[in-house]
Amino acid sequence: MSSRALRKTVLCMALGLSLASIVMLPSAYAANNDGSVYGQSIAGAEVTVRNPETGFTRSVTADTEGNYRFPFLPIGNYTLQASKDGAAIGTPTNVTVSLGNATNVDIGSGTNLTTLGTVQVIGSGVITPVDVTSTESATNLTSEQLSRLPVASDPLSVALLTPGLTRGDSALGGVSFGGSSVAENTIYVNGLNVTDFYNRIGFSQVPYSFYKEFQIKTGGYSVEFGRTTGGVINAVTKSGTNKFEYGAELRWEPSSLQSAARDRFTANGTRYFTARHDEYDRASLTGFASGPIVRDRLFFFAMYEARKFEPVNTSTSGTTLFEGEADTPFWGTKLDWQITDSHLLELLAFSDKNESSSSTFPFNPDTGDKTGPSSGTTLSEGGGINWALTYTGYLTDDLSVKAMYGENDRARATRGSADLECNKVFDNRPAPLRGDKGCTFNTTVLDAVDTREAMRLDFEWALGDHLLRFGLDREVNTSEFEQFAPGPDNLRYDVFATRPGSALNGAVVPPGVTAYVRTRKQSNRGTFETLNAAYYLEDNWSVTDNLVLNLGLRVEEFDNKDANGDSYIRIKDMVAPRLGFSWDVKGNGRSKAYGNIGRYFLPVANVINIKQAGPFLDERFFYVFNGYRSFDYNGQTYQIPILGPQIGGVDNTQGNGLVGDTRGKVDSDMDPVYQDEAILGFQSMIDDKWSWGIRGIYRKLHNAIDDMNINANGACGTVGAPGFIMANPGKILTIYGDTNCDGIKDGWVTIDTSSAGWALRTSPGNVFRGQRGWDEPTRDYQALELVIDRAWDERWALNASYTFSKTRGNAEGPVTSDFNFGDAGRTEAFDDPWVNYNAYGYLANDRRHQFKARGTFAFNENWEAGATFDMQSGRPISAFGVGNPFDNRDYHSFYVCVANCRDTDSTQRVYEFIPRGTAGRTPWAIDVGASLAYLQTLGNADLKVKFAVYNLLNRQKATQVNENFDLAGINRNPDYGQENGFQSPRYGQLTVSLDF
């Protein structure tokens, strides 16, 4: 195809996207796993970029105005040279291409060279962070920079170096970007999305030594990125070059370098939280090799990491000890094939499979001794094989394409060593009878694998003052899920006390019977698929030499399917417009004012289709309890109930093993969860090394998708009430239900959940007296960030920031720290209207003040030190009651009972309203890290020995507390306010590396 015909074809595609979109969106100036170089030279000059490490060379011709551009460049060090009529213009310029950034270089005789301040000079290492064409808010950190700092070996710790990010509560983990919950972020490795799509909290783990560079996107990111209302961690791995290299690295974190965790005590000296026996040993030995397979054309990088992790922990009471072990190795490889200078192909493959075991022992926390043999072992599996194949084509000087296909696997399997042979048996009668009786203590067996098939196609087309970027992005996320109760018959046995003549399971308890057995078979098995698709178009328009407008549009679709393969929640035509500007204030590339506004959508996690639209079986039988039968298993004696006559029939009202008609369990016209964001900032160089910046951020989360207990059916009152429905709280929902109030589903029912759907009742008598609706979910984040940076010059570097922020609303997001609920989209926040009634206030991720700093200092060529500092104000504390002054429902609320609390008539109880987040705050969290490294050249090898200490001050302040003020609506919780989440104790890490 000719260049002219190709341009016509692509123009038709671009115009089609434009007409479908109407509005255009903000652009990224580099794709999500590379960078770019652009600038001005002499009109008609040939500009050549060359990577001396790989031999990659590409030339373009500057247009009639002298503009040139190199898109989709693999990150690395390059030389740039201009020539005209075969004669070189000036001398070659060294430039570093960084991840996700565009580097401006004006080159050639007669051009303005003042923008060379934006070029990293490889010899001196001086670089300005000011990219006057970008409206994104992002921080880049290379593996070389991180190696000089005391940073824990995981991407989340790297991300926490940037302003505005906080660590999630200990029960959930993860990181909060700009007030969002920890389940709203996306993580990419070489352009492959590796985020856990089951509940969006975890991600595929790649060893620290495999990474080359990180980019942490905290706002204003391009339409190329979607499916997040939090932030983006974008990373690329190392690659091979023309130079053969190999080496090894040992990381060691022994328990001897850890400070003991502290037990926690009540005011009267009673220990309520045991932690002093918790410790671990962790070690890894990594070997790597890289180099050319075919010089200047084909390269490899390969890494193998042997790992050993041995954690030891106790239960909160300290009476149970868990000894764990994990030693599954990691392997990873990267192949880069420069087929020609116009066609590149790269393959990423890695395995993060992980198998671990944890044995349980009875334990005496006072003596530190085991008091008996192991009661069982829990086996877990995670991770999987991941790979991505990426093609880059430079079709013309102005038109380039990138195509990627990859797969991301994550296993989620947990079972006890005895679960296939032993049933769960539990006696629910009061002590001393109460407790486990069977030979397994696990309640479920889980065997699941989540597989993502990711495909994307990205184009970049330069048309004069316009840089068009457009593409398609599609993921098929499939969960193979199986969860069931332990035992050969998958039955759980529970023993309960009862009274003769009482009602049970639609029958009457026989005379003389004081206890019964309930057998319960629970299972959910199936294949659940979700399709996430999007297309985008953006225009980076250079309006003048100093002003750039970024206009873009992303259109998305989410389709979560049930176990039968039918659409369960499908949301189409989600239009995400984004608009940004960047103004080069003085026209010298050293300062800019910038801003952007945009909309971002969050997909529905697969946990929703699995838990709400699967073939769930919950089958219960009831029997007279005729005592226990003892049996031996692995040398221990256990018990199982002897079943007497059956009481009543089978109860499978909670699930009959069929998917059923989901039309009555989900809103047929669901609105998506989305966030609007506005950012305004300024950034400037002070000199060639120092820069500073200021940024204001406003984010507003709209809507929620959650399970709601709809126990009133519109005009029918409680007749035909559908129960728990996936819907938008406070919005109109439409389900298939009972239209004529006869208790039979016969048509479509509409309920305005802002005013109806919840049955108001009085007590005693439980009398229906009307309906109530839900408040709409909302979350607002406001922040002001100040940053100052001093670039590394082989001697020292410093970055410091202060963030003032407020996070307010009545909904944290798809997961909640308040209740430690991690099933994304199935929180307890909207189970009834009272959980969130008058609930607007400071949310769990509100950290009013943040001070962060990191720095490195080289004493000489052999010794260097690094330090990190993170100080954050405490998170707000709430006082959750049980019950409310409006109906007889006892559930979480912001009302606590203060009088007549034991009155059976709930209308006689007196409640006090305690607004969200007004019961105090946790202490300030201060974390200091320090490292000292020794470097030495030994012949052809480079030796580095680094010792790092984390939480140097050994602060173990509380990060969360028990916020349940009431229990069961009538009892004060004696544990209210007790600290139950803490900073990790001080620990040390030794790293020794030898590179050849």
Side-chain angles (χ1 to χ4, degrees):
M1 180 182 293
S2 69
S3 174
R4 184 174 181 180
L6 183 60
R7 286 185 180 219
K8 286 184 176 180
T9 300
V10 177
L11 179 59
C12 290
M13 294 170 61
L15 289 176
L17 287 171
S18 298
L19 290 172
S21 305
I22 305 299
V23 183
M24 293 189 295
L25 236 172
S27 59
Y29 314 103
N32 58 12
N33 60 347
D34 51 36
S36 61
V37 175
Y38 73 101
Q40 282 197 323
S41 186
I42 297 175
E46 183 179 68
V47 183
T48 300
V49 65
R50 182 177 184 274
N51 187 326
E53 297 174 335
T54 64
F56 171 75
T57 303
R58 184 170 178 240
S59 298
V60 297
T61 301
D63 64 19
T64 56
E65 296 181 357
N67 299 310
Y68 75 91
R69 181 176 178 83
F70 294 100
F72 297 151
L73 289 178
I75 66 173
N77 300 321
Y78 292 81
T79 60
L80 201 63
Q81 175 72 67
S83 63
K84 186 70 179 286
D85 300 326
I89 303 173
T91 58
T93 299
N94 295 326
V95 58
T96 292
V97 174
S98 59
L99 177 61
N101 291 321
T103 304
N104 176 233
V105 185
D106 290 348
I107 186 170
S109 174
T111 62
N112 180 3
L113 301 183
T114 58
T115 56
L116 287 178
T118 63
V119 179
Q120 178 169 352
V121 181
I122 296 172
S124 67
V126 178
I127 185 171
T128 170
V130 179
D131 179 354
V132 294
T133 67
S134 175
T135 66
E136 287 191 336
S137 298
T139 298
N140 281 64
L141 291 161
T142 66
S143 58
E144 290 82 3
Q145 292 172 310
L146 294 169
S147 69
R148 296 190 289 265
L149 295 169
V151 182
S153 307
D154 68 273
L156 295 185
S157 295
V158 174
L160 284 166
L161 295 174
T162 60
L165 275 68
T166 63
R167 195 177 293 277
D169 280 358
S170 57
L172 296 178
V175 169
S176 167
F177 280 72
S180 65
S181 75
V182 298
E184 299 173 51
N185 308 318
T186 305
I187 295 91
Y188 292 90
V189 176
N190 287 17
L192 176 67
N193 187 353
V194 298
T195 314
D196 175 18
F197 57 77
Y198 173 73
N199 62 11
R200 294 192 56 82
I201 295 178
F203 57 95
S204 298
Q205 298 286 344
V206 175
Y208 205 55
S209 302
F210 200 47
Y211 288 112
K212 183 174 183 178
E213 187 171 348
F214 296 87
Q215 186 182 56
I216 315 302
K217 296 177 181 289
T218 56
Y221 33 87
S222 160
V223 284
E224 182 180 0
F225 294 91
R227 307 184 189 117
T228 170
T229 49
V232 174
I233 300 176
N234 188 26
V236 292
T237 63
K238 295 176 180 177
S239 300
T241 66
N242 277 325
K243 181 181 178 181
F244 280 107
E245 297 178 294
Y246 60 96
E249 180 180 85
L250 171 68
R251 289 181 184 266
W252 186 37
E253 295 175 22
S255 58
S256 59
L257 294 179
Q258 299 164 25
S259 297
R262 300 169 188 162
D263 291 348
R264 308 288 162 153
F265 300 85
T266 62
N268 63 9
T270 302
R271 181 178 56 231
Y272 71 88
F273 193 97
T274 308
R276 61 192 173 99
H277 300 288
D278 296 353
E279 62 181 27
Y280 66 86
D281 283 290
R282 190 199 312 268
S284 64
L285 180 60
T286 303
F288 82 92
S290 68
I293 300 175
V294 178
R295 186 173 179 81
D296 288 342
R297 289 302 176 194
L298 183 60
F299 312 92
F300 77 95
F301 179 91
M303 196 185 89
Y304 181 87
E305 181 176 271
R307 301 182 286 196
K308 188 76 170 181
F309 180 48
E310 297 177 331
V312 176
N313 302 282
T314 60
S315 60
T316 299
S317 65
T319 57
T320 304
L321 181 75
F322 306 96
E323 291 186 348
E325 181 178 4
D327 58 5
T328 312
F330 168 91
W331 62 261
T333 189
K334 176 89 183 310
L335 295 176
D336 293 273
W337 183 15
Q338 296 172 181
I339 305 171
T340 69
D341 290 339
S342 297
H343 303 280
L344 311 180
L345 195 64
E346 64 178 76
L347 173 67
L348 167 73
F350 66 88
S351 170
D352 69 337
K353 285 185 177 180
N354 181 51
E355 298 179 357
S356 62
S357 64
S358 180
S359 298
T360 305
F361 299 87
F363 189 70
N364 185 328
D366 297 317
T367 64
D369 297 323
K370 301 174 185 176
T371 59
S374 173
S375 58
T377 300
T378 298
L379 308 174
S380 300
E381 296 179 14
I385 304 295
N386 307 270
W387 64 274
L389 185 66
T390 304
Y391 163 76
T392 303
Y394 308 109
L395 306 181
T396 70
D397 283 359
D398 300 324
L399 180 62
S400 299
V401 63
K402 183 179 284 285
M404 188 274 289
Y405 176 85
E407 294 188 4
N408 167 230
D409 280 359
R410 284 176 56 85
R412 293 181 294 106
T414 304
R415 67 175 178 86
S417 56
D419 283 353
L420 299 183
E421 302 171 274
C422 295
N423 297 88
K424 171 77 173 179
V425 179
F426 194 85
D427 199 318
N428 296 271
R429 293 176 293 177
L433 299 175
R434 185 177 180 84
D436 278 305
K437 305 297 182 181
C439 49
T440 183
F441 49 85
N442 290 324
T443 57
T444 61
V445 177
L446 173 65
D447 188 4
V449 177
D450 299 324
T451 300
R452 169 187 284 108
E453 294 180 73
M455 298 148 277
R456 64 177 303 128
L457 184 64
D458 302 281
F459 291 90
E460 181 173 302
W461 190 15
L463 290 174
D465 294 332
H466 297 267
L467 177 65
L468 294 180
R469 292 173 58 85
F470 50 96
L472 307 173
D473 175 11
R474 176 185 171 93
E475 293 181 356
V476 179
N477 300 330
T478 304
S479 295
E480 300 284 348
F481 187 85
E482 186 174 18
Q483 189 170 28
F484 51 89
D489 48 7
N490 301 146
L491 287 179
R492 169 175 175 150
Y493 295 83
D494 281 279
V495 179
F496 297 92
T498 188
R499 294 190 305 272
S502 60
L504 177 65
N505 191 34
V508 177
V509 176
V513 175
T514 59
Y516 70 90
V517 182
R518 185 193 68 193
T519 67
R520 188 177 187 182
K521 177 178 285 189
Q522 276 185 303
S523 67
N524 189 7
R525 296 176 169 92
T527 299
F528 302 84
E529 183 180 280
T530 294
L531 170 66
N532 296 331
Y535 60 90
Y536 72 89
L537 171 66
E538 64 184 18
D539 180 13
N540 177 31
W541 177 21
S542 298
V543 181
T544 69
D545 291 341
N546 295 358
L547 179 62
V548 175
L549 290 182
N550 297 324
L551 308 146
L553 191 72
R554 181 180 175 96
V555 181
E556 301 194 63
E557 176 182 350
F558 306 144
D559 188 2
N560 293 59
K561 301 179 181 180
D562 63 22
N564 290 337
D566 299 322
S567 292
Y568 172 60
I569 297 177
R570 185 177 185 183
I571 307 176
K572 300 188 296 181
D573 301 327
M574 290 174 283
V575 180
R578 300 176 201 170
L579 168 67
F581 78 92
S582 179
W583 175 36
D584 185 351
V585 178
K586 296 182 179 180
N588 59 4
R590 297 177 66 86
S591 62
K592 70 172 181 179
Y594 67 99
N596 50 70
I597 56 175
R599 176 163 290 182
Y600 305 82
F601 290 95
L602 187 69
V604 178
N606 267 33
V607 65
I608 298 302
N609 355 2
I610 293 171
K611 296 291 182 71
Q612 305 293 120
F616 187 68
L617 174 67
D618 190 348
E619 189 176 76
R620 311 178 197 198
F621 290 87
F622 297 78
Y623 302 90
V624 172
F625 175 60
N626 281 347
Y628 283 109
R629 174 178 61 84
S630 297
F631 66 96
D632 291 335
Y633 181 79
N634 284 347
Q636 300 293 314
T637 300
Y638 300 97
Q639 295 178 311
I640 193 166
I642 299 173
L643 304 182
Q646 184 173 333
I647 303 174
V650 59
D651 178 6
N652 61 3
T653 57
Q654 301 299 313
N656 60 5
L658 302 175
V659 175
D661 186 353
T662 62
R663 296 178 300 169
K665 295 297 182 181
V666 62
D667 181 6
S668 64
D669 190 21
M670 190 90 71
D671 292 330
V673 178
Y674 64 96
Q675 179 169 265
D676 290 329
E677 178 186 72
I679 295 175
L680 186 63
F682 179 80
Q683 192 175 12
S684 178
M685 295 296 298
I686 299 172
D687 58 25
D688 287 342
K689 297 176 183 177
W690 287 92
S691 66
W692 72 279
I694 184 171
R695 182 171 73 122
I697 309 105
Y698 176 73
R699 286 177 157 192
K700 186 174 183 63
L701 183 73
H702 303 268
N703 211 2
I705 295 176
D706 217 310
D707 56 339
M708 306 164 60
N709 187 5
I710 306 297
N711 61 8
N713 179 12
C716 297
T718 60
V719 178
F724 278 94
I725 302 296
M726 291 302 301
N728 303 128
K731 299 286 186 66
I732 295 175
L733 69 83
T734 302
I735 57 172
Y736 194 78
D738 179 11
T739 63
N740 56 12
C741 308
D742 61 359
I744 300 174
K745 294 181 180 179
D746 56 1
W748 293 99
V749 176
T750 298
I751 301 173
D752 185 353
T753 66
S754 68
S755 57
W758 176 257
L760 289 170
R761 297 177 183 273
T762 59
S763 61
N766 203 27
V767 178
F768 175 71
R769 59 181 181 87
Q771 299 184 41
R772 162 78 196 186
W774 280 254
D775 291 343
E776 286 194 23
T778 184
R779 184 184 74 207
D780 298 286
Y781 175 77
Q782 299 168 303
L784 182 67
E785 293 178 1
L786 295 169
V787 180
I788 188 166
D789 186 88
R790 202 264 187 189
W792 173 250
D793 63 353
E794 309 297 335
R795 183 70 181 190
W796 69 287
L798 175 68
N799 179 279
S801 66
Y802 166 71
T803 304
F804 174 81
S805 65
K806 293 182 178 181
T807 306
R808 292 172 290 193
N810 62 10
E812 180 182 349
V815 297
T816 56
S817 304
D818 294 336
F819 313 127
N820 293 327
F821 208 92
D823 277 359
R826 297 180 69 246
T827 71
E828 297 179 346
F830 301 100
D831 282 5
D832 70 30
W834 312 120
V835 182
N836 257 2
Y837 181 70
N838 280 344
Y840 189 89
Y842 291 109
L843 295 167
N845 292 311
D846 178 69
R847 302 278 185 170
R848 192 64 45 82
H849 305 280
Q850 295 181 43
F851 298 89
K852 294 186 179 185
R854 62 179 186 270
T856 306
F857 182 79
F859 299 97
N860 52 46
E861 63 181 11
N862 298 115
W863 291 95
E864 63 183 27
T868 58
F869 176 79
D870 190 341
M871 183 170 70
Q872 302 182 14
S873 56
R875 57 155 286 188
I877 298 172
S878 296
F880 294 109
V882 180
N884 64 82
F886 311 105
D887 68 4
N888 70 341
R889 171 70 165 167
D890 286 346
Y891 206 65
H892 294 301
S893 74
F894 289 93
Y895 291 84
V896 298
C897 188
V898 295
N900 304 329
C901 298
R902 295 183 180 273
D903 197 315
T904 56
D905 184 354
S906 63
T907 61
Q908 301 303 309
R909 299 175 189 170
V910 180
Y911 290 88
E912 178 185 345
F913 173 60
I914 303 179
R916 180 193 288 272
T918 59
R921 286 183 176 257
T922 59
W924 281 68
I926 302 175
D927 192 343
V928 178
S931 64
L932 182 65
Y934 173 74
L935 301 89
Q936 183 62 262
T937 299
L938 304 173
N940 294 327
D942 293 324
L943 171 69
K944 183 173 184 178
V945 181
K946 176 183 174 183
F947 180 68
V949 180
Y950 301 89
N951 192 6
L952 180 66
L953 304 180
N954 197 28
R955 288 176 60 89
Q956 298 184 35
K957 297 294 184 179
T959 57
Q960 60 189 84
V961 302
N962 189 320
E963 298 181 86
N964 294 317
F965 192 82
D966 284 347
L967 292 176
I970 58 176
N971 298 316
R972 285 288 179 266
N973 180 10
D975 298 333
Y976 173 74
Q978 284 186 354
E979 302 171 342
N980 55 19
F982 314 95
Q983 293 177 262
S984 298
R986 175 176 51 215
Y987 70 96
Q989 179 190 75
L990 179 66
T991 306
V992 180
S993 61
L994 194 62
D995 296 334
F996 296 87

